[in-house]
Amino acid sequence: MTAQALIQVLASGLLMGLIYALIAVGLSLIFGLMDVVNFAHGEFLMIAMYATFGLVLWTTLDPIVVAPFVVGLMFCAGAFVYVAVVRYAMRTKANAGMVQIFSTFGLAILIQGGAQYFFTPDYRSIKTSWLGGHTLDLFGIFLPWPQIYGGLISIAAFAALSLISRTDFGKALEATREDQGAVALVGIDRNKVFAIGWGLGAALVGLAGTVLAIFYYIHPQVGATFGTIAYVTVALGGFGSVFGALVAGIIVGLVEAITALILPPTMKAVGIFALYLAVVFFRPSGLFGKL
Amino acid sequence: MTDSTLTSLKLRGDAFIAKRRRQLVVAALVFAAVACLPLGIRDVYLQNVLILTLLYAAVSQSWNVLGGYCGQISLGHALYFGIGAYAASVLYVNYDIVPWFGMVVGGVLSAVLAVGLGFMTFRLKGHYFAIATLVIAEIGLVLVHNWDFVGGALGIQWPFGQDSIWTLQFARDKVPYFYFALGLLVVVWLVTYFIENSRWGFWWRAVKDDPEAAESLGVEVFRSKLAAAAVSAFFTAVGGGFYAAFVSYIDPESVMSFRFSLLFALPAVLGGIGTLWGAPLGAAILIPLTEITRSYLGGSGSGLDLIIYGALIMVVALAKPEGLLSLFTRKSGGKA
């Protein structure tokens, strides 16, 4: 294989990895804030993809233009899920971990069923968009524009996240994560911070959804595929670590691209999963996780 | 120690033994009543639902050994179910070995694998463990998909043959399957019943409640988890072998997909984890409900059955975190 072909593979892997990081970071953020794993995370992605598809169809605007609306919508959806479901799951004393897992799993199945009911199990795709189908020729290396756009969006989102920690809200978030009881004493409403945290997490995965909708098929099960990758990414990077999600996302993208070179395409996930297992075997809390 | 405390201890011991005996009597009555069901239910569709209910009750009870008693939430038990199904199918279809033996082979393979994987995963805590089990099962699914020896994506079709108890093939009458599934449930129930009060049983509950404290009191935490995983995997695989014989055709998705991992955990979670009757009760509610909604509402892929299924899981998890069994039991022990 030529060096050029290798660079081609690594560059596509890197771009996809940045998108994986964007999908995963919301999950990690929510866990870091309140120790809850949202097993409906992939379904949030699916909702965002359908929302993008629907808005594009309805307004005939480009997916990039409707993206802010979808992200806003997802913020509300995330906050709503916290208020309507997770808040109650956190109140239980008996089997707390189990209740969190299964209440969000139930939600995931409910959302999948809802998508099937309203949109049918058919595969859909956005036929025309500014970026769809176009590639960039960079000295003989071909990169699809939607993926480049996704990579850039992801970098921008991570930059914005690192700035948020300097704002008042970022400080409130950090304080709530440190000590949920003490923040109440300084007048921070814990429930409000959690709701905004869920909104933010859903908005981030929603942003990834608006990107994926440009070049990926949209169907009720699409969340399951990306959901599993998101859990692996977060566990690999360390639950709760934003930086870990970025690094792990890139690693996952690169490993997936390399695996696809060596193994048959149906087995491309094996490389990621094996790497993940190898890492957690030596570092049970992931690369950047706190124990 | 005074005489009176000795007497009260002895009384408490007697009460405990009486309670254990009562549990056995109740179990005998319940299972006997269930055994009479086929006398009244002749409809093949309903018999199918009953068989699946008993099978999932048994497998969920096996999951309960690791997930409920020992507190290690596995989201990857479909792996062991699949190994059992594939072991029985490959041995029967390729080598003419009766499924009775194939199931046990699958069980032993699964138990060994569970111990091996346990060395890797039992250092992980909480969500990290759950996700690792999910990922391992996914790897297994992909590998089986690409393994031509076991039929790859096409799967394995059991040949049509004479009805026989040896090959577990009954084309005309489903009732023998019913009794096999019931037998499996009784065996798994009895195993849990006896383990519950053995040293392992106490160790498992200690590991579940507080691993650090248990360790400091001399409980071998790691070995306890390995033992629970082995028992749990063994019976899950036996259930998988039976399932293969029952449906006569398996492919990777139909025995190893994540759907099954969830299906094995849910009855125990709905009924009450770490209890003798939680998984059977959960299965008795969940399986008929999902099977019937699926055939009446989900036939066209409308998704209504999934909506009901998902909503049910959420409502029960949120409304009754201890499981539905807690509706029936009084606060046992009282002052004890």
Side-chain angles (χ1 to χ4, degrees):
Chain A
M1 180 176 39
T2 63
Q4 193 169 16
L6 188 68
I7 294 172
Q8 169 79 55
V9 167
L10 292 180
S12 342
L14 175 71
L15 289 179
M16 209 51 216
L18 283 167
I19 298 174
Y20 287 150
L22 184 59
I23 296 173
V25 68
L27 188 67
S28 194
L29 198 79
I30 291 170
F31 181 87
L33 185 63
M34 52 207 283
D35 283 2
V36 171
V37 175
N38 173 21
F39 279 96
H41 193 70
E43 277 59 38
F44 280 7
L45 181 79
M46 182 257 285
I47 294 178
M49 289 172 76
Y50 270 110
T52 311
F53 175 78
L55 277 177
V56 166
L57 213 61
W58 183 47
T59 61
T60 65
L61 293 169
D62 192 80
I64 298 175
V65 180
V66 303
F69 298 99
V70 175
V71 170
L73 195 81
M74 289 310 293
F75 183 91
C76 301
F80 174 75
V81 165
Y82 171 74
V83 173
V85 180
V86 183
R87 194 160 51 110
Y88 297 99
M90 291 182 70
R91 275 194 203 151
T92 57
K93 304 257 177 328
N95 304 328
M98 192 125 2
V99 171
Q100 283 163 18
I101 290 181
F102 288 100
S103 56
T104 52
F105 254 128
L107 180 68
I109 295 172
L110 180 82
I111 296 175
Q112 270 184 31
Q116 227 177 77
Y117 184 72
F118 289 112
F119 309 125
T120 75
D122 294 346
Y123 280 51
R124 315 202 177 247
S125 62
I126 293 175
K127 297 283 189 299
T128 49
S129 62
W130 297 338
L131 299 177
H134 299 285
T135 49
L136 170 72
D137 179 357
L138 203 70
F139 310 113
I141 293 163
F142 294 93
L143 296 172
W145 271 110
Q147 274 91 329
I148 296 174
Y149 161 71
L152 293 175
I153 286 280
S154 170
I155 292 170
F158 274 95
L161 270 179
S162 69
L163 288 178
I164 279 186
S165 62
R166 305 216 183 130
T167 63
D168 274 355
F169 170 69
K171 284 174 190 151
L173 213 69
E174 187 64 31
T176 314
R177 157 197 294 209
E178 291 287 323
D179 191 332
Q180 299 185 11
V183 290
L185 298 176
V186 292
I188 295 173
D189 182 354
R190 194 176 66 136
N191 266 321
K192 209 162 140 191
V193 174
F194 284 162
I196 295 174
W198 271 77
L200 198 58
L204 286 162
V205 72
L207 185 60
T210 64
V211 173
L212 275 181
I214 302 175
F215 65 93
Y216 208 87
Y217 285 105
I218 305 159
H219 57 104
Q221 267 76 45
V222 72
T225 320
F226 287 100
T228 314
I229 294 180
Y231 302 126
V232 168
T233 306
V234 172
L236 184 63
F239 272 101
S241 166
V242 168
F243 181 65
L246 177 61
V247 175
I250 294 172
I251 294 175
V252 166
L254 290 175
V255 170
E256 187 186 58
I258 295 166
T259 318
L261 278 180
I262 306 164
L263 295 175
T266 45
M267 291 180 77
K268 71 175 183 179
V270 168
I272 309 169
F273 294 165
L275 170 85
Y276 151 77
L277 288 177
V279 170
V280 293
F281 184 58
F282 292 107
R283 277 191 64 88
S285 54
L287 291 172
F288 299 95
K290 299 166 288 188
L291 260 178
Chain B
M1 208 179 274
T2 63
D3 269 359
S4 68
T5 52
L6 270 181
T7 329
S8 89
L9 271 180
K10 186 170 175 334
L11 279 176
R12 213 185 287 170
D14 287 346
F16 179 72
I17 291 166
K19 187 186 158 209
R20 293 277 293 170
R21 272 210 198 110
R22 212 163 49 234
Q23 283 174 334
L24 266 189
V25 173
V26 169
L29 290 175
V30 170
F31 289 135
V34 173
C36 296
L37 284 177
L39 298 178
I41 298 173
R42 306 302 308 169
D43 182 66
V44 176
Y45 171 73
L46 287 180
Q47 285 180 348
N48 260 321
V49 173
L50 280 180
I51 294 165
L52 287 177
T53 304
L54 289 172
L55 173 68
Y56 289 132
V59 177
S60 188
Q61 185 73 328
S62 318
W63 179 91
N64 191 24
V65 169
L66 182 64
Y69 283 98
C70 197
Q72 309 300 305
I73 303 176
S74 161
L75 295 175
H77 259 48
L79 177 67
Y80 306 126
F81 191 77
I83 290 174
Y86 269 96
S89 302
V90 169
L91 287 177
Y92 178 62
V93 176
N94 293 1
Y95 303 101
D96 248 344
I97 296 169
V98 292
W100 291 87
F101 185 69
M103 273 178 226
V104 178
V105 171
V108 172
L109 277 177
S110 287
V112 171
L113 181 68
V115 170
L117 291 173
F119 274 103
M120 277 174 80
T121 52
F122 281 140
R123 290 165 5 117
L124 305 175
K125 293 198 180 86
H127 299 304
Y128 284 94
F129 176 79
I131 289 172
T133 57
L134 189 156
V135 166
I136 290 169
E138 283 294 312
I139 295 181
L141 178 64
V142 175
L143 291 181
V144 170
H145 242 291
N146 289 279
W147 191 10
D148 290 332
F149 176 67
V150 300
L154 290 176
I156 302 176
Q157 171 74 53
W158 288 46
F160 294 106
Q162 284 290 307
D163 282 13
S164 152
I165 185 84
W166 279 107
T167 59
L168 278 178
Q169 290 303 297
F170 305 100
R172 271 170 287 282
D173 189 11
K174 298 283 169 205
V175 174
Y177 289 119
F178 174 88
Y179 286 107
F180 187 96
L182 179 61
L184 183 63
L185 175 61
V186 171
V187 169
V188 179
W189 190 89
L190 281 174
V191 168
T192 354
Y193 173 81
F194 285 112
I195 289 184
E196 200 182 60
N197 261 28
S198 71
R199 190 183 60 174
W200 285 117
F202 285 101
W203 280 13
W204 289 344
R205 270 164 290 179
V207 168
K208 176 189 178 181
D209 289 339
D210 190 338
E212 278 85 14
E215 184 98 62
S216 74
L217 290 171
V219 173
E220 294 179 50
V221 172
F222 199 70
R223 264 184 51 199
S224 294
K225 291 181 182 174
L226 291 182
V231 173
S232 181
F234 178 86
F235 286 107
T236 305
V238 172
F242 166 74
Y243 182 78
F246 173 55
V247 296
S248 307
Y249 167 74
I250 59 165
D251 66 14
E253 298 296 330
S254 72
V255 289
M256 282 182 92
S257 66
F258 175 69
R259 195 165 66 82
F260 282 91
S261 294
L262 203 57
L263 203 54
F264 303 150
L266 280 174
V269 172
L270 293 190
I273 53 162
T275 58
L276 282 173
W277 288 106
L281 176 71
I285 295 167
L286 189 72
I287 307 302
L289 196 76
T290 51
E291 285 299 318
I292 289 165
T293 50
R294 190 165 63 192
S295 26
Y296 286 96
L297 300 173
S300 51
S302 76
L304 259 182
D305 56 324
L306 289 177
I307 295 179
I308 294 174
Y309 184 44
L312 179 83
I313 297 167
M314 275 171 72
V315 167
V316 176
L318 291 173
K320 270 268 155 248
E322 316 84 3
L324 293 171
L325 197 66
S326 62
L327 294 174
F328 298 93
T329 48
R330 287 157 288 147
K331 286 275 175 232
S332 61
K335 287 167 289 180

